[in-house]
Amino acid sequence: MILVIGGAYAGKTEFVKNYFRLSDTDILDASETEDFQNAKCIRNYHILIQKLCQEHADTLAFTEQIIQKNPDCIVITNEIGCGIVPLEKSERLWREACGKVSCLLAKRAKRVIRIICGIPIIIKGECL
């Protein structure tokens, strides 16, 4: 598994498409589907976590299933833990869940790449 993380609109998807030579059809949007078993790449994973939080689902168990069923997948997620802590409890719980899920994904990933202004920074794994 490869985890690609960074701020909103930081160039994560474009980097993944270019570096890993993926087409638009290779990248599933987690906000639109939950059929990830054979996905080459899943983007907007943070939106899926938000949906699961609203359903009071176990986000860590769900993520563990994806890791087990699709260990070669590339997961793209926004880094949402920076900035002002939200006033709404549900937003804080979502933020916490995203942090925990990102930690799990990073722990299991063979490579973790953070994208800042379209520039990849290797946090874990081999160089590009």
Side-chain angles (χ1 to χ4, degrees), residues 85-126:
V85 176
L87 291 174
E88 291 287 325
K89 182 178 181 180
S90 62
E91 293 291 312
R92 290 192 305 272
L93 292 173
W94 168 54
R95 183 176 170 151
E96 179 182 346
C98 283
K100 289 179 179 181
V101 163
S102 293
C103 287
L104 174 61
L105 289 167
K107 181 179 179 180
R108 296 292 183 81
K110 64 182 177 186
R111 187 186 296 171
V112 179
I113 305 167
R114 184 171 189 220
I115 305 294
I116 301 174
C117 300
I119 300 170
I121 300 169
I122 304 300
I123 296 175
K124 177 182 176 183
E126 63 192 60

Side-chain angles (χ1 to χ4, degrees), residues 49-113:
I49 297 304
Q50 185 176 42
K51 180 182 173 192
L52 293 171
C53 284
Q54 290 168 351
E55 297 169 356
H56 304 288
D58 186 338
T59 56
L60 289 172
F62 184 88
T63 300
E64 188 66 52
Q65 287 180 348
I66 290 175
I67 293 168
Q68 294 298 320
K69 291 179 181 177
N70 195 350
D72 297 324
C73 186
I74 300 167
V75 176
I76 304 172
T77 189
N78 279 10
E79 187 174 14
I80 64 165
C82 301
I84 298 169
V85 176
L87 291 174
E88 291 287 325
K89 182 178 181 180
S90 62
E91 293 291 312
R92 290 192 305 272
L93 292 173
W94 168 54
R95 183 176 170 151
E96 179 182 346
C98 283
K100 289 179 179 181
V101 163
S102 293
C103 287
L104 174 61
L105 289 167
K107 181 179 179 180
R108 296 292 183 81
K110 64 182 177 186
R111 187 186 296 171
V112 179
I113 305 167

Side-chain angles (χ1 to χ4, degrees), residues 41-55:
C41 179
I42 304 166
R43 68 181 289 247
N44 288 323
Y45 199 74
H46 59 287
I47 300 296
L48 175 61
I49 297 304
Q50 185 176 42
K51 180 182 173 192
L52 293 171
C53 284
Q54 290 168 351
E55 297 169 356

Side-chain angles (χ1 to χ4, degrees), residues 1-44:
M1 176 164 290
I2 297 171
L3 174 62
V4 178
I5 191 164
Y9 308 104
K12 298 178 297 295
T13 302
E14 201 59 35
F15 165 77
V16 167
K17 284 169 59 175
N18 292 329
Y19 184 77
F20 295 102
R21 294 186 174 103
L22 298 179
S23 67
D24 288 335
T25 57
D26 292 328
I27 301 173
L28 295 181
D29 194 320
S31 65
E32 299 172 1
T33 185
E34 288 184 23
D35 182 22
F36 306 121
Q37 191 159 346
N38 298 312
K40 291 181 182 179
C41 179
I42 304 166
R43 68 181 289 247
N44 288 323

